[in-house]
Amino acid sequence: MFSPHTNSRSPAYLRFRRRLIAGLLSMAALAIAVVISQFRTAYLERELAVQTQTEHYVKAMEAHVLYSIQSVDLSLISFANAIKVLSAKQSRSPTTMTDLLSSRGANVNSDYWITFIDPKGNAIATSIGNSVIGASYADRDYFKIHLSNSYKDKLFIGEPAVGKISKKRLFFLSRRVETATGEFLGVVAAPVNVDRYVTVFENSRFNTDISITLVHAGGKVIARVPNFEQAFARDLSNTALFDGVRQAKAGTYKTFSVIDNLSRIFSYRVIDGLPLIIVVGSNDSETNRLLQQNYLTAGAGLAILLLLMISAGHFSLRTYRRQEERELRYRTLYSASREMERQLLVNEESMKLASLLFQNSGEGMMVVDANGQILTINPAFSLLSGYTEKELIGHRAYELASHRHDQEFFDEIFACVRDTGHWNGELWQQSKDGEEFLASMVVNAVYDEQGNPFRYVALLSDITQKKASEELIWRQANFDTLTGLPNRNMLYEHLRQEMKKTDRSQLPMALVFVDLDYFKEINDTLGHDKGDVLLKQVANRLLSCVRTSDIVARLGGDEFTVILSELRKPADVERTAQEILKKMSAPFQLGEDIAQISSSIGIALYPHDGADADSLMKSADKAMYGAKQKGRNRCNYANSGEKNTETVYK
């Protein structure tokens, strides 16, 4: 392969050629193995990153779905409790039931409505008009299940279906209504418009690679983006999803979607206590494209490296052949020079390989000297910072950092590198155009022969968008988008924390439910935009009535809650409630319009009225409903023994 001359080759030459070919083959195999191993590792790391991303998505979407279901269920419980106290004649009266269902209509929006169905399966009343009155729902699964009393005192969630009257895509939440003696009075049902979840799922995707699906435990799709139209009510019970669900309530798998036939990594989670499953998938097409591009680049680089190795081998053989033809007196000197030449060739190839990796790395790389002055940067760093290598050489590395960090922050980095030889973390950098970005950075020290650091190599990557996406998902899952107050999910977290504080300090804690009176009339007369303005002002007024250590949250609609923690005087609860009644009764300026409302307040004390968050919430809601029944614009305590049962603001 290397020389056409075979008749004059000496045994030494043949041995050298065999060794050289074996060495070249070993080096080629090692280089190929290293490249394959690196791409295999990168592929596995990317799959793990996609899996982690989908798992985070699942948790965020689970929080939203759980919050919406709890909000609807709270309305169902309230109406079921109200129907229980009606007489048999009143519960069969469409007029009476319509008045009852519409009395708190402000809690119900276009996403769902409330319907009461009598024991025979006929609709008696609805919160959105008379369109369904008289229609029979005896064949619906949610009526049959409550007729058989299989879900006593439990929420039932039915499979998705198209509404008989509305023709909308719905799924149904329902509760059994019965008397104190257990007599079946009927079913209170809430048809939920699936479009609300489609909108939320679509707005939550930060790229088109993501698919989000809400699936009923019976197997049918409730909502999905993308391809909602094709996916609605489609049965997935025989797919890989339910194979996984039968093994564990949460997990990850990779398969082709039966909806759009795209390969994705899917993460799923069965919502605790509910027959609902959240599934998030990502096909990561952009990453696959970049991986293919990297494969081509690496393949070309590897081919060049192999060509250089072959050329170097050919050159070595030719050199050896020429040297062998010299006189014997130079053989000893020739042997020594040949070894030196071989070492130089190895070093040259190593330097070329290092340069190739440095120039083609996807991460920004910067090399500085022992004094922190920049010696060189790679193209990826120029793309990240906007600076060319010529503009940065001789400058200090810390000059590229944002002013968000003080000198103490950099002192800690230098101390860590000095003591351990490396540092990794996050810091804000500033590009050439003045824009700041959050970077993940790894710094490693390079030591000389005496063991002293004389170079520092830094690797940087931009993680600004990743951090922003995580922050957005967390905020959407925990805060109300209209008022900025904590939502139901965050309220439960605060409530459990305050209960633990109360257990330690032995100072009482109160949970206050605030429901706005006549808010529906504001929406009906002035419009929902003015209603939203009023809700924002209500949030500000509630915050002005409490201490900075207290928590104000919005449950949804016109319902708010206040956590009054570590109360040193029992009168503090009464004083705060009176202040809220007073502030809510004052006129609201809504642009050119003036609105007049009031509020009904329910108060529950921990631990007297509930030993856990759920029971305390139910006690406060029941007390608030009692305040409404007694005339509104007042506060009412839960069953607190020696405490007054109500206080009216005059």
Side-chain angles (χ1 to χ4, degrees):
M1 178 175 70
F2 294 102
S3 175
H5 303 289
T6 58
N7 55 348
S8 61
R9 292 174 180 172
S10 67
Y13 175 85
L14 294 176
R15 288 195 300 271
F16 175 77
R17 188 181 69 173
R18 286 195 298 270
R19 289 196 299 268
L20 182 60
I21 293 175
L24 290 175
L25 291 176
S26 299
M27 291 177 63
L30 179 60
I32 294 172
V34 169
V35 171
I36 293 175
S37 175
Q38 290 296 321
F39 277 108
R40 174 64 177 170
T41 301
Y43 177 79
L44 293 177
E45 288 177 349
R46 183 57 199 175
E47 280 208 338
L48 180 60
V50 173
Q51 176 181 337
T52 302
Q53 173 184 284
T54 57
E55 289 173 349
H56 289 170
Y57 255 107
V58 164
K59 292 179 180 178
M61 293 302 100
E62 177 191 24
H64 172 80
V65 172
L66 186 59
Y67 163 74
S68 65
I69 295 297
Q70 289 173 342
S71 177
V72 177
D73 188 32
L74 188 59
S75 295
L76 292 176
I77 292 173
S78 298
F79 287 126
N81 290 336
I83 295 171
K84 282 182 180 181
V85 300
L86 296 177
S87 65
K89 180 179 179 181
Q90 289 175 318
S91 65
R92 291 192 295 268
S93 170
T95 302
T96 301
M97 296 306 300
T98 299
D99 291 341
L100 175 63
L101 294 181
S102 62
S103 64
R104 294 175 68 194
N107 292 335
V108 184
N109 51 39
S110 60
D111 294 332
Y112 71 95
W113 58 92
I114 305 296
T115 301
F116 177 68
I117 304 170
D118 69 12
K120 295 182 179 180
N122 297 320
I124 296 298
T126 180
S127 62
I128 59 170
N130 301 324
S131 57
V132 302
I133 294 177
S136 175
Y137 292 89
D139 60 333
R140 291 294 192 177
D141 56 351
Y142 56 86
F143 178 80
K144 293 179 180 179
I145 202 76
H146 291 304
L147 182 63
S148 64
N149 202 12
S150 300
Y151 268 67
K152 183 177 179 62
D153 295 330
K154 293 182 180 179
L155 173 69
F156 176 76
I157 300 179
E159 292 188 339
V162 176
K164 283 189 173 182
I165 306 300
S166 66
K167 303 303 180 183
K168 294 181 179 180
R169 292 179 176 86
L170 311 168
F171 73 107
F172 298 83
L173 279 63
S174 61
R175 278 187 176 271
R176 176 185 173 95
V177 182
E178 60 185 21
T179 65
T181 60
E183 179 184 356
F184 181 51
L185 293 177
V187 175
V188 59
V192 180
N193 192 337
V194 174
D195 289 342
R196 68 174 295 178
Y197 295 105
V198 175
T199 301
V200 171
F201 292 172
E202 184 63 44
N203 292 337
S204 299
R205 298 195 305 159
F206 62 81
N207 63 56
T208 57
D209 293 339
I210 302 296
S211 71
I212 306 174
T213 311
L214 176 62
V215 185
H216 192 275
K220 291 186 177 180
V221 175
I222 296 174
R224 185 189 192 270
V225 290
N227 308 110
F228 167 63
E229 297 291 336
Q230 301 95 308
F232 177 75
R234 185 161 182 174
D235 191 356
L236 303 182
S237 58
N238 294 323
T239 63
L241 169 62
F242 279 83
D243 291 340
V245 169
R246 283 186 281 270
Q247 299 295 325
K249 290 187 176 182
T252 301
Y253 61 95
K254 185 175 182 179
T255 187
F256 281 88
S257 169
V258 299
I259 306 298
D260 52 18
N261 202 33
L262 291 177
S263 177
R264 287 188 173 92
I265 296 175
F266 292 92
S267 290
Y268 70 90
R269 187 177 182 89
V270 179
I271 300 178
D272 289 340
L274 298 177
L276 298 175
I277 307 167
I278 288 292
V279 187
V280 176
S282 176
N283 65 3
D284 211 20
S285 58
E286 178 63 17
T287 299
N288 292 333
R289 187 188 66 80
L290 293 176
L291 283 175
Q292 291 176 358
Q293 181 178 341
N294 290 338
Y295 289 155
L296 294 176
T297 303
L302 185 60
I304 293 173
L305 177 61
L306 294 176
L307 182 61
L308 290 174
M309 292 170 61
I310 293 173
S311 299
H314 182 64
F315 175 76
S316 297
L317 287 176
R318 290 178 57 192
T319 302
Y320 184 88
R321 180 66 177 171
R322 287 196 301 267
Q323 293 292 335
E324 191 179 39
E325 293 173 349
R326 293 185 179 183
E327 297 181 3
L328 293 177
R329 65 178 179 271
Y330 298 110
R331 189 171 298 278
T332 301
L333 179 62
Y334 165 74
S335 178
S337 64
R338 184 184 65 182
E339 179 65 21
M340 181 181 297
E341 181 179 355
R342 189 179 69 83
Q343 292 294 336
L344 290 174
L345 288 173
V346 171
N347 292 337
E348 181 181 359
E349 294 301 325
S350 298
M351 292 176 62
K352 289 180 179 179
L353 179 59
S355 176
L356 182 66
L357 293 175
F358 181 79
Q359 294 297 325
N360 293 280
S361 173
E363 289 187 293
M365 299 179 67
M366 173 175 61
V367 181
V368 301
D369 62 17
N371 297 319
Q373 287 188 333
I374 299 174
L375 298 177
T376 184
I377 62 172
N378 71 343
F381 190 92
S382 293
L383 185 63
L384 187 65
S385 66
Y387 291 100
T388 64
E389 182 180 35
K390 184 177 180 181
E391 290 174 320
L392 291 181
I393 290 178
H395 287 271
R396 300 281 183 176
Y398 67 80
E399 296 176 15
L400 300 177
S402 166
H403 297 297
R404 300 189 185 194
H405 304 296
D406 54 18
Q407 186 60 41
E408 182 180 357
F409 175 78
F410 294 105
D411 291 340
E412 292 176 356
I413 295 178
F414 296 148
C416 181
V417 175
R418 182 185 64 246
D419 297 337
T420 66
H422 67 275
W423 177 87
N424 66 83
E426 299 174 358
L427 76 164
W428 285 94
Q429 294 281 93
Q430 188 170 13
S431 61
K432 182 178 180 180
D433 59 8
E435 182 177 354
E436 294 183 344
F437 62 93
L438 183 62
S440 174
M441 185 169 77
V442 178
V443 180
N444 289 290
V446 180
Y447 300 92
D448 58 19
E449 296 179 354
Q450 288 74 38
N452 299 316
F454 79 108
R455 296 288 185 270
Y456 297 99
V457 180
L459 282 76
L460 293 91
S461 58
D462 187 352
I463 60 172
T464 309
Q465 184 177 1
K466 175 184 175 183
K467 287 290 185 180
S469 298
E470 292 174 353
E471 174 67 20
L472 176 61
I473 293 173
W474 179 85
R475 187 155 191 86
Q476 288 177 340
N478 293 283
F479 287 88
D480 177 47
T481 55
L482 177 63
T483 63
L485 296 176
N487 61 15
R488 180 182 295 271
N489 184 53
M490 182 62 75
L491 171 67
Y492 268 86
E493 290 295 326
H494 285 303
L495 191 55
R496 284 188 281 267
Q497 292 174 9
E498 295 301 329
M499 286 179 173
K500 292 179 181 179
K501 288 170 60 177
T502 297
D503 294 338
R504 292 193 300 267
S505 66
Q506 297 300 308
L507 293 175
M509 183 195 78
L511 179 64
V512 180
F513 263 40
V514 181
D515 189 273
L516 305 183
D517 302 326
Y518 312 112
F519 179 70
K520 182 178 182 297
E521 286 76 0
I522 300 300
N523 270 343
D524 292 342
T525 57
L526 301 181
H528 289 277
D529 290 342
K530 293 294 179 69
D532 288 345
V533 174
L534 187 143
L535 289 174
K536 292 179 182 179
Q537 293 185 19
V538 166
N540 291 331
R541 291 190 185 185
L542 286 175
L543 289 170
S544 70
C545 295
V546 300
R547 303 166 298 178
T548 56
S549 60
D550 297 327
I551 306 298
V552 178
R554 183 188 179 205
L555 293 180
D558 61 348
E559 287 187 334
F560 295 82
T561 57
V562 179
I563 301 176
L564 302 176
S565 60
E566 296 184 313
L567 298 168
R568 300 186 180 276
K569 297 178 182 180
D572 291 342
V573 180
E574 184 71 19
R575 183 169 56 254
T576 301
Q578 290 295 326
E579 181 67 16
I580 293 174
L581 289 172
K582 180 180 178 181
K583 289 288 182 70
M584 294 302 106
S585 298
F588 287 81
Q589 186 69 45
L590 308 178
E592 298 177 354
D593 299 308
I594 297 177
Q596 187 77 42
I597 64 170
S598 61
S599 60
S600 297
I601 297 177
I603 302 172
L605 302 177
Y606 174 77
H608 193 283
D609 297 322
D612 53 54
D614 289 329
S615 59
L616 196 65
M617 291 280 285
K618 290 179 181 178
S619 295
D621 183 62
K622 183 177 179 181
M624 181 272 293
Y625 187 75
K628 278 194 175 291
Q629 286 191 323
K630 292 172 183 178
R632 305 182 180 180
N633 194 24
R634 63 189 65 217
C635 64
N636 186 43
Y637 287 88
N639 298 325
S640 300
E642 71 282 357
K643 291 192 172 290
N644 296 329
T645 58
E646 66 177 52
T647 302
V648 183
Y649 175 70
K650 300 296 185 182

